[in-house]
Amino acid sequence: MTHSNHLRRVFSLLLFCFLWVCTGAAQNSDDAKEVTTTYFIKNAFVVQKPGTLLPNTSILIKGGLIHSLGPNIEVPFDAKVVDADSMYVYAGFIDACSHTGIAQQEQKDRPRVKDPGNPPKHLAGITPQNTVRNAIGEKLDKSMKDMRELGFGFVHVIPRGRMLPGQGSVLSTGNGKPEQTLIKENISQFAQFKPARRMFPATTIGVMSQFRDLYKNAEYSNAYLKSYNLDPKGLERPKHSEELAALFPVVNLQMPIFFYAPRVKDVNRALILNQELGFNLVLTGVRQGWPLMDEINGNNHGVVLSLHLPEKIEDKSKKEEKKEEKEEDKKEGDEKEESAETKMLREKKKKSHDEYVGQAALFEKRGLVFSFSSLDTKAKDIRSNILRMVEGGLSERGALAALTTNPATLLGISNVAGTIEQGKIANLFVSDKPYFDEDAKIRFMVNDGVLTEIEEKKKKKKGGSNENVSIEGEWKYNVEIPGNTQSGLIVVEGKGDDMKIKVNSDEDPADFTDATSIDFDGKNLTFEILVEGISYAIDINIEGSEFEGNVSVGEFGSFPMTGNLKDSPE
């Protein structure tokens, strides 16, 4: 696929609403309480903060707070006791930037406007006045529960959208109503190089130009308003713009901009805007930051690395290497030279893979303070990706700091989160082994002082409903983008766990890219391809010999995708 159709997968997420009925009923009844708000975690190894382990320590939790901790605490008569002997207690992790709790937006028809060069701000994706409270509404998305079960106690949530989606807030991952989970509201602006559709700004350059214009206008409007408030005599009344007003805290350096910058080009663009305009920049969702480490080190406001990693090369290379060795034995002359080129390509991919995995370790080695973001990362991959970063050289202490104390400081919540200390919010988890042990499992999660036992999820058995369903063959696809259609082939081989997929484009039919993260349930097929460090996600539904769906990538949005089996009528 070419760079003109940089795209992102749309996930279909289920909505649910957590009900906390038992506690409320007990508080408004003369009957005995069914749910206690006092918990006693007994004789555990308490990882109070990165680098500090307290053995044989108990923790008393009351009213949603850490009441006390130590080796000799008296057990209250009304406490529920958790015998945590030989287990480990950690402060709840903090996701430094995510969409957790906010449902994926429905794909609607592309808006059409009379003047595409000067569209309404909300259609162009310029909504800095939007808040997380409004985005969530009355229901929390299922993703909040997913993060809670992974040990995350707090999330810095930002609205979904395009260029300027809105303001971020810190939420607890507790299962109360949305308004009960808010810890600190409207602490950031979120920005990204995500163009509008069929209107200005429709390109990355357009986004940068529009950003400069908005920032300068916000500076001017803010200064004029201050002058008017001091002495309005002889001055026209200021014209109100909710978009510019929402940027006043930014231009006054009271609110940082979390700029989504996964690629090295995005990092460079964000740094250029920051150098020109002088706002407080937090580089966010960074996947390719290592080439610009010196420049990033000069930005003193923070960096948030992505928890997304490419699929392990080792997972798919062993079988392929054996197969290729057999094939190579049959080849002679020029064909062996072609095999050497294939080997070089594999080595190049391996080097790129290792750079991604080792990025956090390199940042730690250089002394850069960083946090982690789950943007564009599946919940099921988060823990394994953290462990892979540790395998890649990141210290366990550094990884734990990036998940606790660093984001707590970055988000201004270190007085209530990040460490296990008296008086802090009781968001923590109990693991049966040290967290960075590959076999460790989270047994209990405490959110806002409420303890929940985490049920171990059963691994999906092989031979499921998709095992005997075959979609092998060459599938023609079309991807519709503004003013253009991209076409090519999706080649499917095998089925079930042995399914392999490769993709090309009509512009370069000989160049196929192997797919990763393949999942097929008998109807819905999802997979990813990585081209020059950019991850493309495909999500399609197959009906007979036809399919429809979308292909997507974070900064460019989602585009419709249709197709059919090559030898079937269109």
Side-chain angles (χ1 to χ4, degrees), residues 27 44 73 103-104 126 133 220 331 386 405 470 481 535-536:
Q27 291 173 344
I73 303 175
Q104 179 72 46
I126 301 169
R133 182 188 288 267
Y220 172 79
K331 294 179 179 180
I386 293 170
T405 51
S470 176
I481 62 175
S535 179
Y536 300 78

Side-chain angles (χ1 to χ4, degrees), residues 149 159 233 275 359 369 437 489 507:
E149 293 183 350
K233 187 176 181 180
Q275 187 175 13
Q359 173 175 247
V369 177
D437 187 310
L489 287 180
E507 295 181 7

Side-chain angles (χ1 to χ4, degrees), residues 291-308:
L292 293 173
M293 289 190 64
D294 290 336
E295 291 82 353
I296 292 173
N297 195 26
N299 170 47
N300 299 319
H301 303 297
V303 58
V304 180
L305 302 183
S306 174
L307 283 169
H308 180 279

Side-chain angles (χ1 to χ4, degrees), residues 19 29 32 64 96 110 174 181 213 231 319 341 408 423 427 436 466 505:
L19 302 178
S29 171
R110 296 170 190 165
T181 67
D213 188 59
D231 184 6
K319 282 186 178 180
E341 292 178 4
N427 282 13
F436 298 100
N466 67 323
S505 73

Side-chain angles (χ1 to χ4, degrees), residues 101-103 130-139 157-160:
I102 301 178
N130 282 358
T131 66
V132 169
R133 182 188 288 267
N134 293 333
I136 290 177
E138 298 180 356
K139 294 182 179 180
V157 181
I158 45 92
R160 297 181 185 273

Side-chain angles (χ1 to χ4, degrees), residues 90-95 150-155 386 400 403-404 429 435:
Y90 293 84
F93 292 161
I94 304 170
D95 187 343
L150 288 170
F152 284 83
F154 303 90
V155 285
I386 293 170
L400 189 58
L403 291 163
T404 55
F429 67 87
Y435 176 82

Side-chain angles (χ1 to χ4, degrees), residues 193-491:
F193 298 106
K194 190 172 184 178
R197 297 184 295 176
R198 289 183 175 174
M199 65 190 76
F200 182 78
T203 64
T204 301
I205 298 300
V207 169
M208 295 182 71
S209 174
Q210 181 72 293
F211 186 90
R212 292 186 180 98
D213 188 59
L214 286 167
Y215 194 92
K216 290 294 185 181
N217 284 339
E219 280 186 323
Y220 172 79
S221 296
N222 183 52
Y224 188 85
L225 181 62
K226 288 180 179 178
S227 297
Y228 184 85
N229 289 336
L230 285 173
D231 184 6
K233 187 176 181 180
L235 297 177
E236 292 185 17
R237 281 185 298 170
K239 295 178 181 179
H240 178 71
S241 164
E242 57 181 349
E243 291 85 10
L244 295 182
L247 294 175
F248 288 173
V250 173
V251 300
N252 286 328
L253 303 182
Q254 298 167 339
M255 177 184 286
I257 293 182
F258 279 63
F259 228 118
Y260 178 62
R263 304 172 301 170
V264 64
K265 290 182 179 179
D266 300 319
V267 172
N268 190 51
R269 289 163 180 157
L271 289 171
I272 288 172
L273 288 174
N274 178 238
Q275 187 175 13
E276 289 179 13
L277 302 174
F279 54 90
N280 291 340
L281 169 68
V282 179
L283 292 165
T284 303
V286 177
R287 299 187 194 180
Q288 290 180 304
W290 65 88
L292 293 173
M293 289 190 64
D294 290 336
E295 291 82 353
I296 292 173
N297 195 26
N299 170 47
N300 299 319
H301 303 297
V303 58
V304 180
L305 302 183
S306 174
L307 283 169
H308 180 279
L309 292 179
E311 183 178 306
K312 274 187 176 182
I313 291 179
E314 292 78 8
D315 289 345
K316 59 182 179 180
S317 64
K318 290 182 180 179
K319 282 186 178 180
E320 291 178 354
E321 284 177 0
K322 289 181 180 179
K323 183 179 178 181
E324 287 173 3
E325 285 175 3
K326 291 181 181 179
E327 291 176 351
E328 286 174 10
D329 291 339
K330 300 177 182 178
K331 294 179 179 180
E332 296 180 358
D334 294 339
E335 292 182 344
K336 285 192 174 182
E337 292 181 9
E338 183 179 344
S339 177
E341 292 178 4
T342 302
K343 185 178 179 181
M344 288 179 60
L345 178 61
R346 187 188 304 119
E347 290 175 351
K348 183 178 180 181
K349 288 183 177 180
K350 180 66 165 58
K351 182 177 183 293
S352 176
H353 167 275
D354 292 345
E355 287 175 334
Y356 271 82
V357 175
Q359 173 175 247
L362 188 58
F363 271 59
E364 180 184 30
K365 185 178 179 180
R366 290 286 297 273
L368 274 70
V369 177
F370 58 90
S371 305
F372 284 132
S373 163
S374 70
L375 284 171
D376 297 334
T377 309
K378 296 178 181 178
K380 68 181 182 66
D381 294 332
I382 288 177
R383 184 169 186 273
S384 62
N385 286 354
I386 293 170
L387 296 183
R388 286 172 63 193
M389 290 181 190
V390 172
E391 290 176 7
L394 175 63
S395 71
E396 293 183 4
R397 181 171 180 172
L400 189 58
L403 291 163
T404 55
T405 51
N406 292 353
T409 300
L410 177 67
L411 301 172
I413 57 171
S414 57
N415 59 334
V416 295
T419 59
I420 299 177
E421 297 180 71
Q422 183 178 353
K424 290 195 172 183
I425 296 174
N427 282 13
L428 48 86
F429 67 87
V430 182
S431 176
D432 59 358
K433 296 178 181 179
Y435 176 82
F436 298 100
D437 187 310
E438 186 176 356
D439 298 323
K441 294 179 178 62
I442 295 177
R443 295 287 306 280
F444 301 95
M445 186 73 200
V446 181
N447 288 91
D448 298 322
V450 177
L451 183 141
T452 304
E453 187 170 359
I454 305 298
E455 295 182 5
E456 185 176 352
K457 294 183 179 179
K458 296 181 180 180
K459 291 184 178 180
K460 184 179 178 182
K461 294 182 180 180
K462 293 184 179 181
S465 61
N466 67 323
E467 197 71 20
N468 298 317
V469 178
S470 176
I471 55 171
E472 289 184 278
E474 295 183 348
W475 296 78
K476 297 171 65 177
Y477 73 82
N478 294 305
V479 178
E480 298 296 331
I481 62 175
N484 196 2
T485 298
Q486 295 293 324
S487 303
L489 287 180
I490 299 172
V491 180

